[in-house]
Amino acid sequence: MRTQVVIVGAGPSGLLLGQLLSRQGIDNVILERKSADYVLSRIRAGVLEQGTVDLLHEAGVGARLAEEGLPHDGFSLAFEGRLQRVDLKGLTSKQVTVYGQTEVTQDLMEARQAAGTTTFYEAENVQLHDFDGASPRLSFTFEGKRREIACDFIAGCDGFHGICRASVPSGAIETFERVYPFGWLGLLVDQPPAAHELVYASSPFGFALCSMRSQTRSRYYVQVPLDEKVEAWSDARFFDELRRRVPEEVAAAVIPGPSLEKSIAPLRSFVAEPLRFGRLFLVGDAGHIVPPTGAKGLNLAASDVRYLFEALREHYAERSDAGLDAYSARAVARVWKAVRFSWSMTNLLHLFPEASPFDQRIRRAEFDYLAQSQAALTSVAENYVGLPY
Ligand code: APR
Ligand code: PHB
């Protein structure tokens, strides 16, 4: 079997790249380790920058997003009970759109199926060969049989634990990492959200976030120690903890209900450099991870896809490799700015177990500064709506 681009991973990165390539007439095949249902069962974040929304429209999957996505003109930060709105629209003239990553993935899967583009779900033991030369190949097991596929390029869209980054010789890659000493316990519930906009709250008991998926479905998070077990958290305990961490007026508006999903995610910042090795390109979580505090993970995946798609289009349509040669540097430059923003939001809003009274005063001073300075708020706002490509 032969194709132009093999994409490893059918998360948002792989599916979006595949869709853009297919519309451009560039042949591609996706190899995904899990089933489509499994991929769709993962609950992830859901705040899209305008650039991400634009790219989804360009990929031809914007119809349901335009119908059901919730445009947000702002969000709130809360610190020790005080609320500070960040007026995204007023400060930057831009908005964000709340639309779950699961919905994005579903729309992309449906479009791919409608186009009849090849995807091997439940492809086991994917291995990459010869990607440092002109003729890369991949082998994988599908329905019990070992298969091989030759291609021009490999897009590693297989997430943080994937095989693509792991296939690069260790001397050829440098990694940068911060693992935070806590995780987020998330709960999904079919109740209207506590507030019209997102509320990121810092309290003496730790961080909490009030988010949403729709007018009738809410997503809440509380910071928990890394060794916490989700079984230890009944829905009632979760809502009690959430309420004591958010300002009173928000707590009063939280409507509890039976959880549809409850899970704990660790928080990590991670960047691999470079994002290209010969004919292998790393995209999305395969190349970098940010803590969810800045809502940047999916948006960074989209900006990588945009750079790589443009580069591949140039390669095939204009016989120019300038975009491919620039891919890693362009993507990494944008990634680091989002890594910095997510790290600073995480530091501002979370309770660190080792924090001293000095650290706590610094956090309070940072919040006070935000509350008094248009310049400081504008900086948060322009990062939140998304820096230019
Ligand atoms: N072979 C084939 N597929 C694999 C392999 C492998 N060895 N390893 C992982 N995969 C698949 C996973 O099953 C998953 O479906 O690659 C896909 C990677 O998808 P994601 O983890 O969603 O990564 P990405 O598409 O880059 O999306 C980034 O996801 O984690 C969030 O915050 C992040 O929103 C961001 C987005
Ligand atoms: C979510 O709704 O899941 C969500 C929103 C914003 C974040 C993180 C997660 O920063």
Side-chain angles (χ1 to χ4, degrees):
M1 197 177 174
R2 194 192 145 78
T3 188
Q4 290 174 301
V5 181
V6 171
I7 299 168
V8 185
S13 301
L15 288 164
L16 180 55
L17 179 64
Q19 198 56 23
L20 289 162
L21 291 174
S22 297
R23 286 169 73 89
Q24 195 64 35
I26 300 171
D27 200 30
N28 64 91
V29 169
I30 295 186
L31 306 179
E32 164 61 52
R33 182 168 57 178
K34 303 285 189 183
S35 68
D37 285 344
Y38 181 93
V39 172
L40 284 177
S41 71
R42 294 189 293 230
I43 307 291
R44 299 262 176 88
V47 176
L48 309 184
E49 297 171 359
Q50 190 56 45
T52 304
V53 170
D54 294 344
L55 195 62
L56 289 165
H57 280 289
E58 192 181 330
V61 293
R64 194 162 68 98
L65 166 63
E67 190 81 9
E68 297 175 19
L70 306 174
H72 279 210
D73 290 348
F75 68 93
S76 288
L77 295 170
F79 199 84
E80 296 168 349
R82 286 179 295 152
L83 268 171
Q84 172 63 50
R85 180 161 188 264
V86 182
D87 179 4
L88 298 172
K89 191 73 182 286
L91 293 164
T92 69
S93 309
K94 294 187 183 132
Q95 320 172 282
V96 293
T97 302
V98 171
Y99 189 67
Q101 179 172 320
T102 313
E103 311 306 320
V104 172
T105 309
Q106 189 183 330
D107 295 344
L108 285 162
M109 278 183 178
E110 281 173 11
R112 190 168 178 91
Q113 199 174 10
T117 322
T118 309
T119 311
F120 290 93
Y121 285 102
E122 301 182 70
E124 292 165 30
N125 191 17
V126 172
Q127 287 184 328
L128 282 61
H129 313 280
D130 303 334
F131 55 85
D132 52 348
S135 313
R137 288 174 300 120
L138 295 98
S139 55
F140 61 103
T141 302
F142 183 70
E143 294 178 340
K145 237 179 88 194
R146 200 73 192 154
R147 299 171 188 240
E148 206 177 273
I149 180 164
C151 58
D152 301 332
F153 300 103
I154 301 172
C157 301
D158 51 347
F160 184 66
H161 300 287
I163 187 66
C164 291
R165 192 180 72 250
S167 301
V168 175
S170 57
I173 194 169
E174 197 174 356
T175 60
F176 305 85
E177 184 169 43
R178 166 142 311 168
V179 177
Y180 299 90
F182 40 73
W184 279 16
L185 169 63
L187 181 148
L188 191 68
V189 60
D190 266 337
Q191 293 289 5
H196 294 307
E197 297 179 340
L198 273 61
V199 180
Y200 293 80
S202 178
S203 83
F205 310 106
F207 170 79
L209 169 61
C210 303
S211 181
M212 68 194 73
R213 289 290 173 275
S214 68
Q215 313 282 15
T216 55
R217 182 170 285 189
S218 304
R219 180 71 169 162
Y220 294 113
Y221 297 94
V222 294
Q223 168 190 352
V224 293
L226 263 186
D227 54 6
E228 197 67 50
K229 296 273 174 287
V230 66
E231 297 75 42
W233 287 82
S234 64
D235 293 351
R237 180 179 173 202
F238 180 95
F239 282 107
D240 285 347
E241 189 59 34
L242 175 72
R243 284 196 181 113
R244 84 181 175 132
R245 294 185 185 193
V246 298
E248 262 170 45
E249 59 267 47
V250 179
V254 170
I255 309 175
S259 58
L260 304 172
E261 195 262 3
K262 208 165 21 182
S263 57
I264 296 180
L267 267 69
R268 179 195 306 269
S269 301
F270 173 89
V271 183
E273 289 183 28
L275 293 172
R276 177 196 184 167
F277 312 89
R279 289 181 168 250
L280 167 64
F281 295 84
L282 298 179
V283 180
D285 279 14
H288 41 78
I289 295 284
V290 286
T293 328
K296 289 288 157 241
L298 177 57
N299 294 299
L300 279 186
S303 59
D304 287 359
V305 165
R306 185 179 143 139
Y307 294 136
L308 185 56
F309 164 63
E310 280 301 325
L312 289 167
R313 194 193 55 72
E314 264 173 50
H315 170 85
Y316 287 110
E318 297 162 25
R319 296 171 183 268
S320 161
D321 282 349
L324 290 174
D325 292 339
Y327 170 74
S328 179
R330 288 173 77 188
V332 161
R334 194 170 190 278
V335 163
W336 271 111
K337 282 172 252 168
V339 169
R340 187 210 66 80
F341 176 64
S342 311
W343 163 88
S344 73
M345 289 279 281
T346 302
N347 287 337
L348 171 67
L349 297 170
H350 290 75
L351 203 60
F352 283 70
E354 72 274 21
S356 66
F358 176 89
D359 298 327
Q360 181 57 19
R361 287 292 196 279
I362 290 285
R363 292 172 60 224
R364 189 181 293 162
E366 189 174 342
F367 186 82
D368 287 346
Y369 174 51
L370 273 176
Q372 286 157 8
S373 162
Q374 176 101 339
L377 275 180
T378 305
S379 166
V380 170
E382 77 170 348
N383 278 279
Y384 197 83
V385 298
L387 295 174
Y389 286 109

